[in-house]
Amino acid sequence: MDAVRVALLREVLAGTEWPAAARRFAGTLRSSVVPHGGGLLLVGTEVYEPWHLAAHLVDESTWSGLPELTPTLVRHRVEPGDPAHLAVGLGRIEAAGRGETLLVVVPESPGEGLLERVHDARRAGATVLSLDNGDPEVRGLAHEALSVAGGDDVDLDTVQHLVSAAAGENSAPVRRDRRRLRDRLSRLADQLTAPPPPRW
């Protein structure tokens, strides 16, 4: 989804919780991966693989200049001959540990096998984030969760668009040189205290 469509989507959802909630979640995602230099693992369920979110995060990482946002897509089934970037199986979650972030996208029941692996990754020190359907077990494992229930005015795909776009935007404030700030304040003070120009 391009920037224009995301802007339109935010406009449609203005007045709801979703744009701000997505920005908060995206900020947590960034603050989890950027200081550690990456280590973002992305996994769905046996039925749902978050390809679309993976592609958007790759785009956002390129546009924002933050390679740390590029995820490793972890898949439930890896076929022989799959290219390297699509050949990462669930064993990768079992190897996750401190400094890594696991983003779990769960639109339906995650299944016990995935929950156990996520629990083990969290216990080993990985940060767990979830985009989910409100499943209490998933939320219980996540350090930060953004849930979309059946009665909400958006679906999980829409929220993924908002989160991925916000992840590329939530940049840290630019540090300003104190001397330059003083110079600007001095100029502003001069302008405010200068006598008014003469009227002819």
Side-chain angles (χ1 to χ4, degrees):
M1 188 176 282
D2 59 36
V4 173
R5 288 183 184 157
V6 170
L8 289 172
L9 181 57
R10 286 177 177 153
E11 192 175 315
V12 168
L13 293 172
T16 72
E17 65 177 303
W18 297 108
R23 281 195 167 104
R24 275 193 306 274
F25 188 86
T28 301
L29 173 62
R30 281 179 65 122
S31 64
S32 177
V33 298
V34 171
H36 297 292
L40 175 58
L41 305 175
L42 176 62
V43 68
T45 65
E46 273 193 78
V47 177
Y48 179 85
E49 287 189 331
W51 298 88
H52 210 61
L53 179 58
H56 282 301
L57 285 171
V58 168
D59 289 345
E60 291 298 333
S61 74
T62 302
W63 296 331
S64 65
L66 291 170
E68 300 90 349
L69 288 175
T70 299
T72 297
L73 181 62
V74 178
R75 304 179 64 204
H76 287 257
R77 283 180 300 282
V78 175
E79 301 295 333
D82 281 345
H85 69 287
L86 298 177
V88 179
L90 290 173
R92 181 62 183 87
I93 296 175
E94 294 167 8
R98 191 165 307 284
E100 293 184 291
T101 300
L102 177 59
L103 175 53
V104 185
V105 182
V106 184
E108 77 278 319
S109 175
E112 285 303 313
L114 178 60
L115 285 174
E116 287 172 15
R117 286 179 170 93
V118 172
H119 179 265
D120 290 346
R122 178 178 169 135
R123 202 170 55 210
T127 300
V128 177
L129 308 177
S130 74
L131 293 170
D132 58 64
N133 64 349
D135 184 297
E137 289 188 277
V138 175
R139 289 185 63 87
L141 290 173
H143 292 94
E144 183 79 23
L146 184 54
S147 299
V148 182
D152 288 327
D153 46 4
V154 296
D155 59 18
L156 196 57
D157 284 338
T158 300
V159 171
Q160 290 178 66
H161 284 298
L162 292 172
V163 167
S164 61
E169 294 171 347
N170 287 339
S171 56
V174 177
R175 280 198 170 153
R176 302 201 183 275
D177 183 11
R178 294 183 83 149
R179 190 173 21 202
R180 288 178 50 208
L181 176 60
R182 283 193 203 123
D183 291 344
R184 286 197 307 270
L185 288 173
S186 176
R187 280 195 304 272
L188 178 61
D190 290 344
Q191 290 170 357
L192 293 174
T193 57
R199 286 191 221 174
W200 302 106

